[in-house]
Amino acid sequence: MLIGQVDSVRTYITEIRDGPGTQNAFDMFKEATGEESLLSAIKDKAAETRIAPVNARVDRVWKAIPGYNGLEIDVEATYRKALGGMLNTKIPYVYRQVEPEIQLKDLGAHPIYRGNASKPMVSFMINVAWGNEFLVPMLDTLDAEKVKATFFLDGSWLSKNAELAKEIQKRGHELSNHAYSHPDMSRLSAERARLEISKTQELLQQTLGVKNRWFAPPSGDFNQKTVDIAASMGLQTVLWTVDTVDWRKPSPDSVIAKISNKTEAGSLILMHPTASSAGALKGMIDSIHAKGLSLGTVSETLSSERVQGHTVE
């Protein structure tokens, strides 16, 4: 009888260690010698499968890079779930994310060019200061593909196109700050630079009820003073990893090829509402998905939250 119990426990521990993420834990528990064996096996599995979090850091080339949450089995919650399970009911492990000790916000005032390379997500950054005729077609494509992007709005454009901005917002996209009059930020006095950012910040709040998080310098022109001023206003300065250069009117096929070749996990992809990007958008999305990458907003891509691949509670 004792030999039979030991064999059952060995079988149980082997299955819970080596089996898939979903175990019939309750059935195996009934065959084991007691609750302690079940708890011990869950702890063993948790130690074997834990994925450590990745800290945010300042890279010599890419500057501020966000961290990425780790993942581990919640031993207590899984144990409770196993004890409360029904016979022949599969009980999934309960996972929880583990935040890194150092987050993006802890790094200080640095520009951001990309997300964490461990996170299989990328973002479209769509800077809007002109090109109204292409906006709705692009929104329609994004809707059809169930993709959300981040639109950086020029304040002077927003002041004249509030209804179109509300349409972007209605479609569920993220809206953020692209200064007011599309200046070269590095050439401005501190007072003028602050005014460029604050006017658009106020417009986003007053017109759309948006408290924006990100500042995208027009034409990618900035200096450390720009980053410091934006940070003092609660905004992080974000640029891009891959540029469509769509203002040069490349063919849609060449844009798709560029995105397919250069996009990788964490990429921020810059575009504008142009004929080139409107024509290439569906192909860009397809090429990104073909690489196994998800598409999210800038906030989603730069957060430390994991892209869901496991059952997480």
Side-chain angles (χ1 to χ4, degrees):
M1 188 173 181
L2 179 59
I3 292 172
Q5 287 180 326
V6 171
D7 286 343
S8 293
V9 173
R10 285 176 178 165
T11 299
Y12 163 70
I13 292 176
T14 299
E15 289 184 5
I16 199 167
R17 282 180 176 168
D18 301 334
T22 299
Q23 304 286 344
N24 195 335
F26 184 76
D27 283 355
M28 289 188 284
F29 162 68
K30 299 290 275 188
E31 296 175 3
T33 59
E35 296 180 12
E36 188 174 342
S37 297
L38 173 62
L39 182 58
S40 176
I42 294 172
K43 286 181 177 178
D44 287 347
K45 185 70 171 181
E48 292 172 10
T49 59
R50 185 178 189 273
I51 301 172
V54 180
N55 281 331
R57 63 190 177 90
V58 179
D59 184 79
R60 184 174 60 85
V61 175
W62 293 108
K63 307 307 178 184
I65 296 179
Y68 193 42
N69 288 359
L71 191 69
E72 66 183 12
I73 291 172
D74 186 326
V75 172
E76 183 179 351
T78 299
Y79 180 59
R80 288 199 308 266
K81 203 164 192 177
L83 292 178
M86 301 295 292
L87 199 64
N88 297 321
T89 300
K90 289 189 179 297
I91 300 172
Y93 287 117
V94 178
Y95 288 88
R96 63 185 173 197
Q97 297 194 37
V98 183
E99 293 188 351
E101 292 182 3
I102 303 173
Q103 300 271 8
L104 191 60
K105 61 182 175 59
D106 301 321
L107 298 180
H110 299 277
I112 304 164
Y113 288 85
R114 58 164 301 124
N116 194 295
S118 297
K119 183 170 184 173
M121 178 178 281
V122 304
S123 293
F124 289 144
M125 297 176 58
I126 305 176
N127 290 350
V128 182
W130 37 265
N132 290 9
E133 65 269 37
F134 302 107
L135 269 171
V136 172
M138 291 177 75
L139 290 172
D140 289 343
T141 299
L142 292 169
D143 279 354
E145 299 301 314
K146 297 180 173 57
V147 169
K148 302 303 179 190
T150 299
F151 289 77
F152 289 87
L153 306 184
D154 174 272
S156 61
W157 179 91
L158 175 55
S159 68
K160 301 169 187 174
N161 296 277
E163 292 308 310
L164 194 47
K166 288 176 182 177
E167 180 63 23
I168 298 171
Q169 184 180 41
K170 179 183 174 183
R171 306 278 188 114
H173 300 288
E174 182 177 37
L175 303 176
S176 222
N177 195 320
H178 195 45
Y180 189 82
S181 61
H182 213 273
D184 290 338
M185 296 296 295
S186 68
R187 300 184 179 185
L188 303 181
S189 67
E191 181 181 2
R192 173 69 190 283
R194 182 176 295 275
L195 183 62
E196 283 285 337
I197 298 170
S198 65
K199 283 181 72 174
T200 299
Q201 191 173 33
E202 290 165 8
L203 265 177
L204 285 165
Q205 177 66 53
Q206 294 167 1
T207 307
L208 304 168
V210 168
K211 185 176 181 180
N212 70 283
R213 297 179 55 191
W214 313 104
F215 171 63
S219 305
D221 183 86
F222 73 100
N223 55 19
Q224 187 59 41
K225 178 177 68 176
T226 309
V227 178
D228 291 337
I229 290 171
S232 74
M233 301 169 71
L235 306 179
Q236 291 182 284
T237 300
V238 62
L239 292 108
W240 60 85
T241 321
V242 183
D243 189 356
T244 60
V245 199
D246 53 4
W247 53 273
R248 290 183 178 173
K249 301 180 181 180
S251 70
D253 285 346
S254 68
V255 174
I256 294 167
K258 181 177 186 178
I259 297 309
S260 179
N261 290 333
K262 295 193 174 183
T263 298
E264 57 188 11
S267 290
L268 305 178
I269 301 166
L270 177 65
M271 68 182 74
H272 305 81
T274 65
S276 296
S277 283
L281 190 53
K282 172 65 164 61
M284 284 193 278
I285 293 169
D286 289 343
S287 70
I288 289 166
H289 285 159
K291 290 189 166 192
L293 301 173
S294 300
L295 277 152
T297 64
V298 167
S299 287
E300 289 170 335
T301 297
L302 297 184
S303 81
S304 66
E305 287 288 314
R306 294 187 69 83
V307 175
Q308 301 300 325
H310 295 271
T311 300
V312 179
E313 295 185 16

